[in-house]
């Protein structure tokens, strides 16, 4: 209760709540939300994230979180003409038994002001119990004919990749993310134009943080079209975080398989160490339809190549100063990776998904060394509005060295077990 009182004493939170009540009373409003509680137990050791150096062979890190997302939007709005709005507020409590490694979220580079607050109720220097609120989405939209104009904090989601999306230049989910219901919003102006039923044009101008003089506003245009006999073709051009980008993707069908290729060329404002390179993926999807146990299993395979990444173990420490890694645009440090997943509904209520990520780097012995990440997820539907998720993540590969510098892509990531209960209303 003390933590909640601290949250409500914050001026920005009070203003946000008052605005919500005002909007609710003045307009017809649809109110929906999501409540979730999750627990993560990690087993870490020397050379892995979260290890304190206590001398014990293994240490356990416990993390639990309770979250609440409130979603408000105007009801009974014509999809062809008129003004509408959408607001998402996030409120959550975290309890962590040890300091965790910092995470770079790409969306933070495109928020003029964070509009969030964190209250640490633990002793100074001990990130133990956090109460956090955040305005995640706040969008005002005008719809007219074949065009929409959207102003405010909104999600921008582009690309065709399943594990990685090079065209998602404003940030993408990592392949191992468990909470992918809503993508984080960025402060932007977006124009959506629909020339036909089979094509669209998105133009985005995204604002940089007001206290960051290094970056000016970003902009990008994304064109997507269905081409008969070829599939879906997308084109991207823009300048994001001072870096010029241009990309192309193709998604189609061949021999009963879904196939896709997606790539972006970056011209970096800050060279690393080269100033231009390609980031591309190629993948296939195949749904097994025979009468064996694998019937109904969806196989996804995707290859990742980012020329800004490391090709050897000795290149990995330099990735910590890679501007794309620092800003969260590049999620992984390796130049080449492979992703595989198997997804199947065991029954109408239970879904299982297995994912494998792997990379291979050249070591000081001039030999290739592989590292693997395995993730096994079980999702059970409790009702139309609720489900429960169990996720097991394991890794192998070289751990970080004595200076805490990585020597492989996944070796420094500890094993973990996650459980989440989620309810929508």
């Amino acid at each position: 209760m003390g933590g909640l009182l601290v949250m409500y004493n914050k001026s920005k939170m009070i203003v946000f709540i008052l605005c919500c009540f005002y909007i609710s009373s003045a307009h017809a409003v649809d109110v929906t939300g999501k409540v979730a509680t999750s627990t993560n137990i990690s087993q870490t050791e020397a050379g892995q994230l979260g290890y304190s150096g206590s001398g014990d062979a293994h240490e356990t890190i416990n993390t639990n979180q309770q979250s609440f997302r409130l979603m408000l939007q105007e009801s009974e709005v014509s999809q062809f003409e008129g003004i509408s709005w959408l607001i998402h507020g996030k409120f959550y409590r975290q309890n962590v038994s040890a300091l965790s490694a910092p995470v770079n979220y790409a969306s933070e580079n495109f928020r003029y002001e964070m509009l969030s607050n964190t209250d640490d109720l633990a002793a100074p220097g001990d990130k133990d119990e956090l109460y956090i609120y955040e305005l995640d989405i706040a969008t005002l939209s005008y719809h007219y004919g074949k065009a929409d104009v959207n102003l405010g904090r909104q999600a921008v989601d582009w690309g065709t990749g399943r594990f990685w999306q090079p065209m998602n230049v404003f940030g993408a989910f990592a392949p191992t993310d468990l909470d992918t219901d809503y993508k984080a919003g960025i402060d932007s102006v977006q124009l959506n134009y629909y020339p036909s039923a089979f094509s669209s044009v998105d133009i985005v101008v995204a604002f940089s943080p007001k206290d960051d003089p290094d970056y000016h506003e970003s902009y990008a245009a994304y064109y997507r079209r269905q081409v008969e006999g070829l599939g879906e073709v997308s084109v991207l051009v823009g300048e994001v975080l001072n870096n010029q980008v241009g990309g192309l993707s193709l998604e189609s069908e061949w021999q009963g398989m879904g196939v896709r290729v997606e790539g972006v060329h970056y011209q970096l404002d800050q060279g690393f160490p080269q100033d231009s390179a390609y980031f591309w993926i190629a993948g296939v999807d195949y749904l097994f339809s025979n009468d064996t146990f694998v019937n109904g299993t969806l196989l996804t395979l995707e290859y990742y190549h980012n020329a800004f990444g490391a090709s050897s173990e000795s290149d990995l420490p330099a990735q910590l100063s890679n501007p794309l890694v620092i800003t969260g645009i590049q999620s992984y440090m390796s130049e080449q990776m492979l992703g595989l997943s198997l997804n199947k509904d065991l029954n109408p209520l239970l879904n299982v998904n297995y994912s494998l990520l792997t990379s291979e780097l050249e070591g000081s012995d001039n030999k290739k060394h592989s590292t693997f990440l395995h993730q096994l997820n079980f999702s059970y539907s409790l009702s139309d509005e609720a489900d429960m998720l169990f996720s097991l993540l394991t890794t192998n590969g070289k751990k970080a060295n004595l200076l805490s510098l990585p020597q492989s892509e996944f070796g420094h990531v500890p094993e973990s077990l996650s459980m989440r209960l989620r309810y929508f209303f």
Side-chain angles (χ1 to χ4, degrees):
M1 179 63 71
L4 293 176
L5 291 175
V6 172
M7 290 174 62
Y8 281 91
N9 283 333
K10 300 296 181 180
S11 60
K12 289 180 181 177
M13 179 58 126
I14 293 175
V15 170
F16 171 66
I17 293 175
L18 290 177
C19 288
C20 290
F21 278 115
Y22 171 77
I23 291 172
S24 300
S25 60
H27 302 273
V29 177
D30 289 331
V31 180
T32 56
K34 183 185 80 168
V35 180
T37 180
S38 61
T39 298
N40 177 276
I41 302 173
S42 298
Q43 190 79 10
T44 185
E45 56 186 271
Q48 292 188 322
L49 298 175
Y51 184 72
S52 68
S54 63
D56 295 336
H58 296 88
E59 295 179 358
T60 300
I61 299 176
N62 296 306
T63 304
N64 64 76
Q65 175 176 298
Q66 295 76 45
S67 65
F68 172 64
R69 178 183 288 263
L70 180 65
M71 298 173 281
L72 308 174
Q73 69 178 35
E74 188 170 2
S75 60
E76 300 178 359
V77 176
S78 169
Q79 67 181 102
F80 300 106
E81 188 167 342
I83 296 176
S84 65
W85 52 263
L86 177 67
I87 295 176
H88 286 200
K90 290 172 59 179
F91 315 84
Y92 50 102
R93 167 193 173 274
Q94 287 183 342
N95 187 280
V96 186
S97 64
L99 290 176
S100 58
V103 178
N104 299 325
Y105 294 104
S107 60
E108 296 179 2
N109 303 291
F110 310 105
R111 290 187 169 185
Y112 182 75
E113 186 170 350
M114 286 302 296
L115 299 179
S116 65
N117 193 80
T118 300
D119 292 309
D120 184 1
L121 300 189
D126 182 14
K127 297 286 186 181
D128 184 52
E129 189 170 359
L130 307 177
Y131 289 84
I132 305 165
Y133 76 81
E134 176 182 355
L135 184 61
D136 192 45
I137 299 289
T139 310
L140 183 66
S141 302
Y142 177 69
H143 315 276
Y144 183 79
K146 296 182 177 181
D148 300 329
V149 179
N150 308 295
L151 173 65
R153 181 161 294 180
Q154 55 195 306
V156 178
D157 196 19
W158 295 335
T160 60
R162 306 297 186 261
F163 290 94
W164 306 280
Q165 303 89 38
M167 284 190 169
N168 241 340
V169 291
F170 297 108
F173 291 116
T176 55
D177 283 345
L178 298 179
D179 189 2
T180 58
D181 296 323
Y182 304 97
K183 191 176 182 185
I186 63 173
D187 295 340
S188 59
V189 178
Q190 182 172 184
L191 169 66
N192 307 125
Y193 177 63
Y194 307 94
S196 70
F198 305 101
S199 62
S200 64
V201 178
D202 299 339
I203 300 175
V204 174
V205 178
F207 301 98
S208 59
K210 65 178 182 180
D211 55 354
D212 189 346
D214 295 331
Y215 297 115
H216 54 68
E217 283 70 34
S218 299
Y219 60 87
Y222 180 69
Y223 174 72
R224 183 173 57 183
R225 179 180 177 81
Q226 294 281 346
V227 179
E228 186 176 357
L230 186 60
E232 184 175 281
V233 178
S234 302
V235 179
L236 169 76
V237 293
E239 185 173 311
V240 179
L241 298 178
N242 301 355
N243 305 315
Q244 296 180 23
V245 296
L248 181 69
S249 77
L250 170 64
E251 187 172 22
S252 187
E253 185 271 340
W254 178 75
Q255 298 292 316
M257 297 184 295
V259 295
R260 60 193 171 277
V261 178
E262 177 180 339
V264 169
H265 179 265
Y266 273 89
Q267 184 74 33
L268 291 192
D269 177 58
Q270 308 171 50
F272 176 80
Q274 72 271 43
D275 58 6
S276 71
Y278 286 94
F279 170 24
W280 61 275
I281 62 99
V284 297
D285 300 318
Y286 181 73
L287 181 63
F288 291 93
S289 57
N290 52 36
D291 295 328
T292 65
F293 175 76
V294 296
N295 179 47
T297 300
L298 176 63
L299 167 68
T300 299
L301 186 67
E302 197 163 278
Y303 171 75
Y304 161 112
H305 187 280
N306 190 333
F308 287 117
S311 59
S312 67
E313 295 172 357
S314 60
D315 293 336
L316 285 174
Q319 288 292 318
L320 301 179
S321 60
N322 181 341
L324 297 180
V325 172
I326 293 172
T327 55
I329 301 297
Q330 180 179 319
S331 301
Y332 294 97
M333 299 179 289
S334 299
E335 180 183 56
Q336 301 180 64
M337 297 186 64
L338 187 66
L340 177 148
S341 76
L342 296 168
N343 187 284
K344 179 178 174 62
D345 291 327
L346 297 181
N347 60 52
L349 300 179
L350 180 62
N351 174 270
V352 60
N353 183 86
Y354 166 73
S355 295
L356 166 69
L357 303 179
T358 182
S359 74
E360 189 177 65
L361 298 173
E362 184 176 335
S364 57
D365 55 1
N366 296 322
K367 296 181 179 179
K368 296 288 187 178
H369 298 273
S370 298
T371 179
F372 297 91
L373 180 148
H374 306 268
Q375 188 175 46
L376 183 63
N377 297 335
F378 292 91
S379 179
Y380 184 76
S381 177
L382 301 173
S383 69
D384 291 340
E385 297 84 18
D387 62 26
M388 181 172 288
L389 173 72
F390 295 89
S391 178
L392 175 65
L393 185 148
T394 65
T395 63
N396 68 345
K398 288 187 178 181
K399 299 175 176 58
N401 62 22
L402 295 178
L403 299 177
S404 298
L405 297 176
Q407 299 185 99
S408 68
E409 186 68 61
F410 302 117
H412 58 282
V413 178
E415 297 181 348
S416 65
L417 173 65
S418 300
M419 294 163 283
R420 183 193 67 197
L421 178 63
R422 179 175 59 177
Y423 175 74
F424 293 90
F425 62 89

